[in-house]
Amino acid sequence: MTKPTNSPDITPRKNSDGGFYSDVVKDHFFHPKNFMEDESAYKADGQGVVGSPACGDVMRVWIKVDPKTERLTDCRWKTFGCASAIAATSMMSTMVIENNGMTLEQARQIRPQDIMERLGGLPARKIHCSVLGDKALRSAINDYYRKSGQIDKIEIEQGRVIDKVLKITDHDIEEAVLEGADTLDKIQSKTKVGTGDPSCIPEVEQLMKFYKEKYFG
Amino acid sequence: MPNNPLSFRPERKSEVEKSHRTKPSTAHRVGHGLRSVYLDNAAATPLDAKVLKAMLPYFSSIAANPSSLHSAGQAANKAVTQARKSIAEIINGHADEIIFTSGGTESDNLAINGIISVIPISNSVIPAKAGIQNPMDPRIRKDDKRESLPHVVTTAIEHHAILELLTRLQKNGAIDLTVIKPQKNGVVKVDDIMSAVNDRTVLVSVMYANNEIGTIQPIGDIGRAILKYRAAKRGTLYEVRGTFPLFHSDACQAAGYLDLNVEKLHVDLLTLNGGKIYGPKGIGLLFVRRGVKLSPTVIGGGQERGLRSGTENVPGIVGMAKALELVQKNHEKESKRLAQFRDRLIKGLLRIPKSRLNGDPAERLPNNVNISFMDIEGEAAMLYLDAKGISCSTGSACASTSLDPSHVILALGMSYEAAHGSLRFSLGHDTIRSDIDYVIKVMPGIVEMLRKISPVTLDMSHF
Ligand code: FES
């Protein structure tokens, strides 16, 4: 039985200078696993799609679920993006169906850093691509619950509002950090956080520190 | 499956190639049995063996400081003087008009900062409105202020060394800036430039040939139009009669293939660099026409007429002169040879469905091919090509540190997606016909593979 790995948050640094992509990344990039070959012939139980605000990339995920066990029996994907985006989705699709498949609740818990760890790390400026896959997966899971009438199980990702004027959430801050904003200035130039409600700035700085440590060690 | 793109096995070189060169440098082509096709010459060129040979003595046996009066120093000095003279001859200028720098970026910066900082500040902040003397006068509106600033005209497809600097100066309130969009084919219209020029314009900067899409700009025509404008103009706030606007052009990409005669181009300032013309990296120059006043950006011992202090990079200077001499001597023949390959490559790649050539097919450098493949992302494509031994580059957002797609391709009015899927192949001296055929052979499989895993299918009627 697989559980989402509870590894300590990984530091992508080891690959961030020079060498660029790890062998695992290269393998999944050059030999992508489980990608969707023929959509029209595929009966999906759920599907989800996300786009990246950072570089305009798109990712689509299809899942099949065993209704009795609510385990994933198949996970297919398509990705428009760079090598790490492709490798991350490929790796994710492998992780959720290996060893008889994760339960939907387990799959929902999968985090970008779990995928990154299995990939042997990603270059720092490529981490933001790896957060797309699990987002698309969660949206596919919601889609499955919707289709199977389990409306109560749908989880809309909302996040906690930090800047009440501009309605900026902790997710927005997290995303900004993942996209490389490592100072308050850079976070503000990406999100405008605190320009409407300056009183939230200390909290933004806290969050920035937290996410920086979480993702970059 | 012979043509299955999924089986990414490195390609072996089977046939023995005959290079056009008398002494083919095949060592780098056959290493490890993986065929190596370098098509990124717009990013960097390999050092020409003759250039290296010319440079070598100046690393060791003639290594003194050219400013030293002893005979060792004078030997180095002589080499620098000789290099300056030979470059001046090539571009039809004078030796004292050549300022050596560390490369294209520094030359561009020297041209722009050098001009902007000689403009008297008091003049540039006090509006030319009768009666107002004090820059803090509350009657001065923001627009008045802008309208009193020195004005610069440039294009939307310039190199970052120009655009980033100019937008920064604009943000800091040091200049008023007009950025001209090229036509859809990536060529700027002379009229569009000239209609932006006004009495406050101190500088027009237009690149000779674009580094991403290779389009060639009508520099001579713009230069002539500016001369005419200057002649008809009376003196203004900043100048005695007819000095401004000055005309600068970045010719880093053009130097290997186009005519650099400054009298035909009518430029006042011209940027060149060594690393794109089979010379060494870390060396460049700015041609500064006699009579053009610049303020220095590097201050110190007063070398390079005080405009660029610092002990001269003697081997670099010698190498730059040799490299420029070699590429210019051969540029017509080499242009003809590469233009054929270029057109062959364009034709071959455009056979792939949903592909578009970026930039004019004819008004472009003979070594530049830039094509967008819709529905795929350029960095992924570039790395798949790399696995086949082919080096090229992309305008994709994913490949840029800022995660912004190519500003050049966007400036053509192309979509974000087109920039995302763009690949640039830049040919060079080592390129042979079978390199081109090799790319044409492997590209379709790569595009097909990446399209298979892409969720995007754009409607081509939008392009
Ligand atoms: S998908 Fe755009 S950078 Fe990775």
Side-chain angles (χ1 to χ4, degrees):
Chain A
M1 188 167 119
T2 16
K3 269 177 44 196
T5 43
N6 249 339
S7 58
D9 294 315
I10 62 133
T11 53
R13 285 218 177 112
K14 58 182 169 199
N15 269 316
S16 63
D17 29 45
F20 232 74
Y21 290 127
S22 72
D23 288 344
V24 188
V25 172
K26 282 190 200 148
D27 178 44
H28 278 267
F29 171 55
F30 287 122
H31 311 282
K33 326 270 185 262
N34 310 318
F35 68 91
M36 173 62 85
E37 296 236 36
D38 183 4
E39 239 174 285
S40 55
Y42 192 84
K43 278 228 165 349
D45 296 324
Q47 59 167 295
V49 61
V50 287
S52 154
C55 56
D57 298 299
V58 188
M59 208 169 269
R60 200 176 268 280
V61 167
W62 292 261
I63 53 170
K64 276 191 183 174
V65 182
D66 178 343
K68 275 192 236 107
T69 57
E70 298 230 308
R71 280 178 188 281
L72 287 164
T73 56
D74 198 17
C75 175
R76 302 271 149 178
W77 55 272
K78 277 192 172 197
T79 292
F80 174 87
C82 71
S84 47
I86 290 170
T89 356
S90 171
M91 176 54 92
M92 181 191 75
S93 71
T94 310
M95 288 166 74
V96 296
I97 58 168
E98 68 194 357
N99 306 325
N100 298 323
M102 288 185 180
T103 65
L104 292 180
E105 288 317 305
Q106 286 167 343
R108 215 174 217 175
Q109 304 296 318
I110 205 166
R111 299 169 308 161
Q113 50 270 45
D114 302 327
I115 301 170
M116 272 193 281
E117 190 190 56
R118 286 281 296 268
L119 285 173
L122 283 176
R125 71 182 183 85
K126 290 292 183 182
I127 291 173
H128 69 99
C129 331
S130 71
V131 304
L132 289 177
D134 60 303
K135 261 197 196 162
L137 176 67
R138 280 195 294 276
S139 117
I141 292 173
N142 278 340
D143 187 46
Y144 165 76
Y145 283 136
R146 198 173 299 122
K147 282 184 174 149
S148 58
Q150 310 182 62
I151 306 296
D152 54 315
K153 291 202 177 155
I154 295 174
E155 267 176 32
I156 301 298
E157 293 182 38
Q158 260 168 344
R160 189 164 52 87
V161 175
I162 307 292
D163 183 320
K164 292 182 190 62
V165 180
L166 296 175
K167 306 259 179 320
I168 289 165
T169 66
D170 52 351
H171 283 174
D172 298 322
I173 309 292
E174 181 175 11
E175 218 144 81
V177 172
L178 279 167
E179 283 161 21
D182 53 0
T183 63
L184 183 61
D185 259 14
K186 289 189 199 160
I187 289 192
Q188 285 192 311
S189 77
K190 272 188 196 293
T191 63
K192 306 281 172 292
V193 69
T195 50
D197 170 20
S199 70
C200 71
I201 287 185
E203 193 172 3
V204 174
E205 282 186 302
Q206 280 276 311
L207 281 170
M208 178 184 76
K209 236 183 102 192
F210 172 77
Y211 289 125
K212 260 167 75 177
E213 230 141 73
K214 176 170 169 181
Y215 292 114
F216 302 99
Chain B
M1 266 201 276
N3 246 339
N4 181 2
L6 273 174
S7 58
F8 245 79
R9 258 173 289 106
E11 201 79 10
R12 307 251 151 206
K13 197 174 139 107
S14 50
E15 6 145 19
V16 179
E17 304 287 0
K18 240 201 179 164
S19 166
H20 71 287
R21 302 174 127 210
T22 37
K23 249 207 273 153
S25 62
T26 46
H28 68 287
R29 299 172 154 269
V30 289
H32 304 110
L34 173 67
R35 176 163 187 151
S36 157
V37 174
Y38 182 76
L39 294 176
D40 204 13
N41 289 283
T45 45
L47 193 73
D48 189 305
K50 287 190 196 123
V51 174
L52 179 63
K53 202 173 149 223
M55 291 171 72
L56 279 175
Y58 299 94
F59 284 108
S60 46
S61 52
I62 316 174
N65 190 321
S67 298
S68 302
L69 288 178
H70 45 67
S71 33
Q74 287 314 294
N77 195 310
K78 210 173 127 199
V80 172
T81 308
Q82 186 46 45
R84 211 186 292 279
K85 238 167 88 195
S86 103
I87 292 171
E89 243 162 64
I90 293 168
I91 67 171
N92 196 15
H94 303 101
D96 55 307
E97 293 173 320
I98 310 291
I99 307 296
F100 289 113
T101 67
S102 68
T105 297
E106 194 194 323
S107 295
D108 287 347
N109 274 247
L110 173 60
I112 291 170
N113 280 329
I115 289 169
I116 299 309
S117 26
V118 291
I119 306 291
I121 290 173
S122 57
N123 280 355
S124 64
V125 287
I126 300 173
K129 275 198 167 173
I132 302 180
Q133 292 297 321
N134 177 359
M136 303 303 281
D137 193 302
R139 280 173 296 168
I140 301 176
R141 292 169 307 127
K142 219 176 153 203
D143 266 2
D144 289 337
K145 214 170 176 180
R146 193 180 62 81
E147 280 163 22
S148 73
L149 291 174
H151 176 235
V152 178
V153 179
T154 191
T155 80
I157 57 170
E158 294 302 305
H159 192 269
H160 287 303
I162 301 280
L163 276 181
E164 290 294 309
L165 175 58
L166 286 175
T167 39
R168 177 182 277 244
L169 288 170
Q170 182 192 32
K171 265 199 206 124
N172 294 347
I175 61 165
D176 178 18
L177 179 64
T178 306
V179 180
I180 303 294
K181 282 218 163 191
Q183 308 167 83
K184 256 186 125 49
N185 67 354
V187 179
V188 181
K189 267 173 128 166
V190 183
D191 287 351
D192 288 351
I193 298 281
M194 292 316 292
S195 60
V197 169
N198 64 37
D199 268 6
R200 288 176 297 113
T201 310
V202 293
L203 175 68
V204 175
S205 182
V206 179
M207 71 195 334
Y208 197 170
N210 183 268
N211 51 316
E212 290 186 36
I213 54 173
T215 49
I216 300 168
Q217 308 305 326
I219 298 302
D221 296 342
I222 299 171
R224 215 168 308 117
I226 288 175
L227 281 183
K228 237 168 110 188
Y229 180 93
R230 280 206 304 236
K233 189 176 142 196
R234 51 195 169 81
T236 65
L237 213 48
Y238 316 118
E239 58 170 319
V240 287
R241 189 187 155 87
T243 331
F244 291 126
L246 294 169
F247 184 32
H248 168 252
S249 181
D250 181 326
C252 291
Q253 296 289 335
Y257 303 101
L258 305 178
D259 188 6
L260 295 179
N261 186 337
V262 293
E263 291 309 319
K264 283 192 192 152
L265 296 173
H266 306 295
V267 289
D268 301 298
L269 301 135
L270 187 79
T271 293
L272 291 173
N273 109 354
K276 318 270 187 218
I277 53 171
Y278 308 89
K281 297 173 185 67
I283 184 77
L285 66 86
L286 182 67
F287 158 80
V288 183
R289 191 178 283 278
R290 281 182 184 168
V292 170
K293 254 178 75 187
L294 290 188
S295 93
T297 46
V298 179
I299 301 187
Q303 290 89 343
E304 299 301 300
R305 293 204 287 117
L307 285 177
R308 206 283 185 179
S309 289
T311 300
E312 293 85 346
N313 171 2
V314 183
I317 289 170
V318 169
M320 166 101 202
K322 187 76 189 164
L324 193 64
E325 177 202 317
L326 291 172
V327 291
Q328 279 286 309
K329 198 165 74 192
N330 270 330
H331 79 89
E332 275 169 30
K333 225 173 108 201
E334 179 68 349
S335 291
K336 241 189 227 146
R337 187 182 77 92
L338 288 183
Q340 274 178 10
F341 291 171
R342 173 196 68 192
D343 295 340
R344 186 181 178 86
L345 183 56
I346 291 174
K347 213 171 125 209
L349 292 180
L350 287 184
R351 264 189 238 125
I352 296 172
K354 295 181 90 173
S355 54
R356 283 276 180 274
L357 177 69
N358 296 312
D360 196 89
E363 284 304 299
R364 76 191 297 137
L365 289 175
N367 74 330
N368 177 290
V369 174
N370 188 313
I371 291 185
S372 287
F373 300 96
M374 305 305 164
D375 306 340
I376 67 170
E377 189 279 317
E379 191 195 290
M382 189 194 90
L383 291 172
Y384 267 55
L385 282 164
D386 186 47
K388 294 280 194 184
I390 300 166
S391 317
C392 66
S393 43
T394 168
S396 164
C398 301
S400 80
T401 22
S402 57
L403 294 177
D404 291 323
S406 155
H407 67 284
V408 175
I409 293 177
L410 293 182
L412 305 182
M414 298 288 277
S415 69
Y416 191 93
E417 288 82 2
H420 233 342
S422 68
L423 290 179
R424 176 190 70 186
F425 302 91
S426 42
L427 287 44
H429 289 182
D430 287 341
T431 308
I432 52 178
R433 177 191 274 256
S434 65
D435 290 342
I436 302 299
D437 293 342
Y438 178 59
V439 177
I440 294 173
K441 193 179 110 207
V442 303
M443 196 72 218
I446 289 173
V447 174
E448 193 189 317
M449 171 62 195
L450 289 171
R451 280 188 182 152
K452 251 193 199 167
I453 62 172
S454 167
V456 181
T457 30
L458 293 166
D459 180 355
M460 279 309 273
S461 58
H462 293 166
F463 298 97

